[in-house]
Amino acid sequence: MNTDRLLEQVLGLSLARLPVPLRRRFLRVGWRLTLPFRQVGFGLEPILEDSLRLGSSAARRIAVEHDFHDQLQQLEWLASSRRPEDAMVAEAHRITVDDPSLLERIADSTQSVILAPLHMGIFPLGVSYVLWKYFRGRRLLVLRAREDHEINNLAMERLKWISSEIRILNTRNPAEFMDAMRYARQGAVVVSLIDLPRSYGVPAPVSLFGMPSAIALGLDSMARMLRAVVVPMAVRSHLDGDEVMLGQPFEVAETDPATRAELATDIARQIEGFVRRSPEQWHMWTRFHEFYLDPSEKLTREGKSNATA
């Protein structure tokens, strides 16, 4: 391990132990001081110009801010795995929900619930807060589409003190899926990210920021199977805390092609609405090319494409 990497880890561990406003402000200061010495922006400017219809200076500003939120996400994953539970509860007032009455009504029912966050802001912290505030003591099923890094797994393990029982399902293991659905039918809360590209399976063609795209849409079949209400949500993060933004909840009664296409379009519009509110905080810009769907392509259920002649 080189000296710079070791120093970053030591500083990260030190910051992670601080309260939210302090660690984020210290990170912001350090980030600003290092800007002249680093390449930032991930080369996102052309994508942002085309997708958000921005001029070059506005796109550059968002791309640079995206770099900060990428570092903030890494710091908060670390903090979620290191901070004592009582310290995290004490800072719960720093997270707000834009429509708490909606979550209260859903939580009061016995219906299964699918929380469907975007990769936006410090979404793990926002989701954890919603689970703690409104669904504490319920069974929990977290769907993951890949193997996580150790730090992500440690942070998710902390959810055990919120739920009565927790299962983490890797959706790449279809043999375990039906067993997980039986588990979820018993009043569980399911957490499943909603802004995944087509390579994650069951793709549905949509227009996303004016570009022909395809999103992964296994969510509709799961919602119908569980008779669950799906709650799209996103997190907008600030130096002092986080705001949970709720979208339009929906249920799925049918999964025929026409209904599925209509649902996919609605989800794409909700994704766009969330992202436009704080585009610098959407972590999927660096993978935006994975959503692209050439008009000549035909999709398979696994998200692969077959070009037509």
Side-chain angles (χ1 to χ4, degrees):
M1 180 181 297
N2 61 48
T3 303
D4 290 344
R5 183 60 178 164
L6 178 60
L7 182 60
E8 286 180 9
Q9 291 193 359
V10 171
L11 289 174
L13 286 170
S14 300
L15 289 179
R17 295 187 175 95
L18 297 175
V20 167
L22 286 178
R23 67 175 179 260
R24 294 186 181 183
R25 280 179 165 78
F26 277 128
L27 178 68
R28 183 75 179 182
V29 170
W31 174 78
R32 283 189 177 278
L33 289 174
T34 62
L35 273 180
F37 310 102
R38 296 188 298 111
Q39 292 289 330
V40 298
F42 298 96
L44 294 178
E45 292 88 343
I47 295 173
L48 294 169
E49 289 179 31
D50 291 342
S51 301
L52 300 177
R53 305 294 188 267
L54 296 174
S56 58
S57 59
R60 176 60 182 169
R61 179 186 59 79
I62 292 173
V64 171
E65 282 297 317
H66 184 278
D67 181 84
F68 170 72
H69 285 280
D70 179 70
Q71 293 197 18
L72 180 60
Q73 175 82 304
Q74 295 178 53
L75 174 63
E76 292 299 338
W77 270 116
L78 187 59
S80 295
S81 67
R82 302 287 178 172
R83 293 273 287 163
E85 294 166 3
D86 57 350
M88 296 177 71
V89 170
E91 293 184 326
H93 68 282
R94 297 193 176 278
I95 303 176
T96 61
V97 176
D98 65 0
D99 190 356
S101 61
L102 172 62
L103 288 179
E104 288 168 357
R105 290 195 301 272
I106 293 173
D108 286 341
S109 73
T110 58
Q111 189 173 8
S112 293
V113 180
I114 300 175
L115 299 180
L118 271 68
H119 291 85
M120 182 170 168
I122 311 304
F123 64 93
L125 193 57
V127 172
S128 296
Y129 172 79
V130 168
L131 292 170
W132 172 79
K133 179 71 173 178
Y134 300 98
F135 300 100
R136 202 180 322 173
R138 295 270 291 266
R139 282 183 159 200
L140 176 61
L141 174 64
V142 180
L143 301 186
R144 306 296 297 169
R146 59 176 172 80
E147 296 298 331
D148 278 308
H149 300 297
E150 181 182 0
I151 190 65
N152 305 107
N153 292 327
L154 286 172
M156 285 193 291
E157 284 291 313
R158 301 291 293 276
L159 294 173
K160 287 182 176 179
W161 66 277
I162 297 175
S163 58
S164 63
E165 188 178 354
I166 181 173
R167 288 187 61 173
I168 299 175
L169 173 69
N170 188 314
T171 56
R172 303 289 190 186
N173 299 327
E176 300 178 10
F177 182 77
M178 290 308 300
D179 184 51
M181 291 302 97
R182 285 190 287 270
Y183 167 89
R185 280 196 189 104
Q186 301 176 37
V189 178
V190 181
V191 177
S192 180
L193 290 156
I194 200 172
D195 56 342
L196 293 171
R198 58 179 180 168
S199 59
Y200 286 81
V202 199
V206 295
S207 172
L208 193 61
F209 295 104
M211 184 180 78
S213 307
I215 59 174
L217 191 64
L219 193 65
D220 60 336
S221 296
M222 180 170 61
R224 184 171 183 264
M225 191 180 303
L226 297 177
R227 299 179 182 175
V229 58
V230 181
V231 185
M233 57 185 290
V235 175
R236 184 161 53 179
S237 298
H238 313 281
L239 295 183
D240 288 318
D242 305 277
E243 176 191 0
V244 178
M245 305 178 293
L246 303 178
Q248 180 62 48
F250 61 87
E251 298 178 45
V252 178
E254 302 292 339
T255 55
D256 60 274
T259 302
R260 190 168 183 270
E262 183 178 352
L263 175 61
T265 298
D266 177 69
I267 290 175
R269 297 296 78 77
Q270 294 207 49
I271 291 172
E272 290 177 346
F274 283 132
V275 172
R276 290 184 189 280
R277 294 175 69 173
S278 287
E280 72 281 359
Q281 298 195 32
W282 193 40
H283 301 292
M284 295 301 283
W285 284 122
T286 53
R287 300 180 61 185
F288 195 55
H289 63 282
E290 295 181 36
F291 291 92
Y292 178 69
L293 176 66
D294 189 290
S296 67
E297 292 178 297
K298 290 184 178 180
L299 293 172
T300 68
R301 182 174 177 82
E302 291 73 28
K304 301 175 182 177
S305 62
N306 294 317
T308 57

